[in-house]
Amino acid sequence: MAGITVWKTRFPGQMERIAQCVAQARAQHRMTQGVMEGNILLVVPSSHTLQMEMELIRMLHLPGLLNLKILSPANLVTLVREQSGTLDLEPLNERGRCMALSEALMELEEAGRLQFYTQVAYQSGLAPKISELLSEIAMAGYNPQILQEMSDEAGSVSGAGRMKMQDLSAIWDTYEQLIEPSFLDEPAQWEQMLQQLPACGLLRETDLIIACFTTLTRDLCRLSAVAAGGAKSVQIVLMSDSSSGDAHLFEPAESSLSILMKEAKDAGAELIIREDRSDVQRTEALRFLERHLFSHQQLSAQAEIPDLQGISLHFARNTYRETLVVAETLKRWHREGIAWDEMAVLPMAPEEISSMLSVTLRTAGIPFYLKREDTAMRHGLSHMLL
């Protein structure tokens, strides 16, 4: 039984810790005729897979990703299913789940069984919202029967709240009846994956690393506990810091550790939690600013404040003036010899400032690429190829 090690780190040191975990795992694998025996499985959110591949190749000078699999949870489910070769029911994705929920809503509405959602049952955007809500309820360990019992016993809950719980229980139950004969939705696919994972051979001579998640969901905690029974090692890199002045920002991550503790205890796996302080290359000023900028605690008179020279805080009266400060700062850095591709702008609220920032930078003659969720046709590279 492998132990589970949790590395608690802040954002600037997160990528360095992931790279160290991968490098240490590679160093422990034997080399036979120049080929590494064993595998490393890195599970990250789907939006991080491509960037993670690029960063690890760059940081570790890897010739490629041989023996290193970087997967999202959904891709992990697919890989285990392919290696197990057993699937009695057709997998149902999120779009199919919403279609089935829409069918359940219409069926209940026609039968007059809806109370809370009766006026909005036919709205197109309701099914995705209910899908998200039911996923959160399921992750908390509830099912339709428990939800119905809670609504019956909820004497202190308002009438609207009780009706909502009863409707959700009915929708959930009807949805499961609709898909049960032929389909397996994503939560059920995850359950099946956890059952098949120990026997499918994926964990043999494998180091599992879970990283880049803001909290550890119950699914990830159960994955860690199951993997501890077959993998060489299980490591989790979690963005959290309970010892700093802004510890309140990491309360969800800290709370999720209690779920991991329970799962590890039930599986008989040793759990080790370590504080990562690998940001030694960063200046004291940056570390101080990061830990106290959003702190609720007032600094004491005896607090040691490092030299903050090099850090500038600007107050702008509106978004336009804020983007002007950004443009002037970038131009000044460029005059000082810093290349354009060595600069970056990290807006706190991209949806509010990105359009204005694009116009200001373009007017100032600053070359830039705005990274955002967009269609491929709007990417500059697509325009060049066309």
Side-chain angles (χ1 to χ4, degrees), residues 305-334:
I305 301 178
D307 183 8
L308 298 180
Q309 186 176 1
I311 297 177
S312 302
L313 298 179
H314 299 272
F315 174 76
R317 296 184 180 278
N318 53 52
T319 302
Y320 173 65
R321 291 185 178 275
E322 186 177 2
T323 59
L324 285 179
V325 172
V326 171
E328 288 299 325
T329 302
L330 296 177
K331 290 170 70 175
R332 187 183 75 251
W333 287 349
H334 187 63

Side-chain angles (χ1 to χ4, degrees), residues 115-189:
Q115 303 176 73
F116 185 83
Y117 292 107
T118 184
Q119 300 295 326
V120 293
Y122 293 101
Q123 289 189 6
S124 58
L126 180 60
K129 293 180 179 179
I130 289 183
S131 175
E132 182 178 354
L133 184 57
L134 291 182
S135 295
E136 293 176 357
I137 295 174
M139 281 192 293
Y142 297 104
N143 58 39
Q145 291 72 32
I146 296 177
L147 202 60
Q148 181 61 48
E149 292 173 3
M150 290 175 60
S151 65
D152 294 338
E153 299 173 0
S156 60
V157 180
S158 65
R162 187 181 299 107
M163 288 190 295
K164 184 176 182 179
M165 293 175 66
Q166 291 172 348
D167 279 6
L168 287 174
S169 174
I171 294 168
W172 198 350
D173 186 53
T174 305
Y175 160 77
E176 290 188 341
Q177 293 177 23
L178 286 172
I179 69 168
E180 185 177 5
S182 306
F183 299 101
L184 203 65
D185 65 0
E186 291 180 345
Q189 291 176 49

Side-chain angles (χ1 to χ4, degrees), residues 142-312:
Y142 297 104
N143 58 39
Q145 291 72 32
I146 296 177
L147 202 60
Q148 181 61 48
E149 292 173 3
M150 290 175 60
S151 65
D152 294 338
E153 299 173 0
S156 60
V157 180
S158 65
R162 187 181 299 107
M163 288 190 295
K164 184 176 182 179
M165 293 175 66
Q166 291 172 348
D167 279 6
L168 287 174
S169 174
I171 294 168
W172 198 350
D173 186 53
T174 305
Y175 160 77
E176 290 188 341
Q177 293 177 23
L178 286 172
I179 69 168
E180 185 177 5
S182 306
F183 299 101
L184 203 65
D185 65 0
E186 291 180 345
Q189 291 176 49
W190 185 265
E191 289 293 325
Q192 186 182 68
M193 182 275 294
L194 292 177
Q195 295 174 11
Q196 297 174 337
L197 184 59
C200 74
L202 183 63
L203 296 177
R204 191 177 301 117
E205 294 296 317
T206 296
D207 294 278
L208 173 65
I209 304 171
I210 300 173
C212 298
F213 293 93
T214 54
T215 62
L216 295 175
T217 64
R218 188 177 298 274
D219 287 344
L220 291 174
C221 293
R222 293 184 61 198
L223 170 63
S224 304
V226 171
K232 286 185 62 178
S233 68
V234 178
Q235 298 191 71
I236 300 172
V237 181
L238 181 65
M239 190 164 67
S240 181
D241 189 351
S242 58
S243 60
S244 62
D246 59 356
H248 61 280
L249 298 176
F250 305 104
E251 287 178 357
E254 289 293 318
S255 299
S256 67
L257 285 175
S258 61
I259 304 175
L260 179 62
M261 291 177 185
K262 181 180 183 303
E263 294 293 340
K265 182 179 179 181
D266 292 343
E270 181 185 8
L271 179 63
I272 302 172
I273 301 177
R274 295 177 175 171
E275 298 278 349
D276 184 15
R277 292 291 180 262
S278 60
D279 58 348
V280 292
Q281 296 181 350
R282 301 171 63 241
T283 65
E284 285 293 332
L286 286 175
R287 287 201 294 269
F288 177 85
L289 180 66
E290 182 188 24
R291 282 176 165 77
H292 295 283
L293 184 60
F294 299 105
S295 174
H296 289 167
Q297 302 174 7
Q298 187 174 359
L299 286 175
S300 64
Q302 292 78 26
E304 294 186 9
I305 301 178
D307 183 8
L308 298 180
Q309 186 176 1
I311 297 177
S312 302

